[in-house]
Amino acid sequence: MNRKVIATILISTIACLSTAQSFSRINNYWDNLYSINPASINDAYLGSASMAVRKQWAGFPGAPTLMQGTATVYFEDYYTQIGTKILAESKGLAHQLQFDISYTYALLLRNQWVLNMALALNFQNLSYDITEITFPANTIPEVYDRLLVNNNLNAGIGFELNYYNYKFGLASQNLITAIKAKNDLHPNTNIFYAAFREQNSDYTNIGLGISLFQQKNIFQGEFNVNAYFKKTMESEKIQLGVIYRTWREAAFLFGVDLDRFKILYSFDYNFSPIYRHSYGSHEIMLIYNVNRTYRCINCGWY
């Protein structure tokens, strides 16, 4: 087969996988909104750390695998949160590494409304595993240029409005490349979400969420419902939930909350033809919270 044809197939495959997983995120972001919006503050604790691993479309060659870690520290006297996020993702022959650091300030408004505002700076690295390519890519300049390692500095902003059990969030990622002529490697992504989490003395509470993601001409929506079951009115919860995501995908969630330590698992099922070649998507996330503070702004949410 002609080498240019092989190169075209490889690059097209990478592009298709990237489109299928355009929005690099975990399923359980509702339990750690900082993972998609640097303006999300967990002020119920002094600090919080999480680790998540997601295997997209298990059994499908070249399917995305994502690993993500986050850590935040909240300074209640200054209404300030410092956070960091590390994301590593593989899609076919492409490998992405991103490191973020963010600053968030909580502005107290009237009638218990709180507005969180954040700025995030990040370093991005994108490379390709050229050892898996069996032809001399450097003989085709356009392919060779595409496979070179790319390092990039970027920035994002976020806002989150809180009122007791309600949250409204807006975030924009990769703002610097949004103004560049070529931004296909790290395109600007915009996120909006609205959520409600019931808090009362009942043994079962409900949480609802809706989110919208936009990247170039690609749009994706998601609806989430979670139920939280308690042994007693004071004990922590077992969590069961479902997600429906546009592009014909559904997910089931299960979580166990052990006060400061939380374990979450999700399973996705895709209704598109890809289901014939995959065992579904699997994800596990661990969250550890440190030193509960004595006053917090949004304890109704947690």
Side-chain angles (χ1 to χ4, degrees), residues 53-286:
V53 178
R54 175 176 175 80
K55 177 59 181 178
Q56 186 90 355
W57 308 330
F60 191 92
T65 298
L66 183 147
M67 294 183 290
Q68 178 183 276
T70 67
T72 59
V73 178
Y74 179 67
F75 302 93
E76 60 178 347
D77 291 335
Y78 301 97
Y79 303 102
T80 293
Q81 177 177 276
I82 303 297
T84 183
K85 180 175 72 172
I86 300 176
L87 182 148
E89 185 177 27
S90 298
K91 304 175 183 177
L93 303 181
H95 304 281
Q96 175 187 356
L97 177 65
Q98 180 168 314
F99 173 77
D100 296 28
I101 186 169
S102 64
Y103 171 83
T104 310
Y105 180 75
L107 178 63
L108 307 183
L109 305 176
R110 292 184 178 181
N111 301 320
Q112 303 300 313
W113 288 87
V114 182
L115 176 63
N116 300 335
M117 301 171 288
L119 172 65
L121 302 176
N122 51 63
F123 168 80
Q124 298 165 323
N125 171 271
L126 182 64
S127 62
Y128 297 88
D129 188 0
I130 59 175
T131 63
E132 295 296 324
I133 301 176
T134 58
F135 64 95
N138 57 349
T139 62
I140 310 174
E142 62 271 23
V143 175
Y144 180 74
D145 291 342
R146 184 79 176 184
L147 299 180
L148 289 176
V149 174
N150 177 274
N151 294 318
N152 192 58
L153 294 177
N154 230 308
I157 58 172
F159 302 91
E160 188 177 83
L161 186 63
N162 293 272
Y163 181 71
Y164 290 106
N165 304 334
Y166 297 89
K167 282 182 179 289
F168 306 91
L170 180 65
S172 184
Q173 302 172 357
N174 299 336
L175 287 176
I176 294 178
T177 52
I179 61 176
K180 292 183 178 180
K182 293 183 179 181
N183 60 357
D184 56 324
L185 296 180
H186 306 284
N188 173 240
T189 301
N190 298 294
I191 303 165
F192 169 79
Y193 59 83
F196 167 79
R197 175 123 174 218
E198 187 179 38
Q199 290 290 336
N200 52 44
S201 59
D202 295 341
Y203 291 103
T204 302
N205 297 146
I206 299 297
L208 305 172
I210 186 171
S211 56
L212 302 172
F213 296 81
Q214 177 267 322
Q215 188 179 92
K216 292 186 177 180
N217 62 341
I218 301 174
F219 295 86
Q220 191 175 61
E222 183 177 301
F223 181 71
N224 171 286
V225 180
N226 271 290
Y228 303 87
F229 302 95
K230 298 179 284 185
K231 293 182 179 179
T232 69
M233 290 187 295
E234 301 299 327
S235 71
E236 297 300 331
K237 312 165 191 71
I238 291 176
Q239 175 182 343
L240 295 175
V242 293
I243 292 175
Y244 177 75
R245 185 178 300 124
T246 55
W247 306 345
R248 297 182 292 175
E249 191 166 46
F252 302 92
L253 310 177
F254 172 76
V256 179
D257 194 331
L258 305 173
D259 191 16
R260 293 184 181 181
F261 190 71
K262 191 168 187 176
I263 305 172
L264 297 131
Y265 169 79
S266 73
F267 171 78
D268 298 47
Y269 187 81
N270 195 296
F271 295 95
S272 68
I274 199 171
Y275 79 89
R276 300 190 184 97
H277 310 281
S278 167
Y279 307 116
S281 302
H282 304 268
E283 178 187 312
I284 187 168
M285 182 168 75
L286 307 177

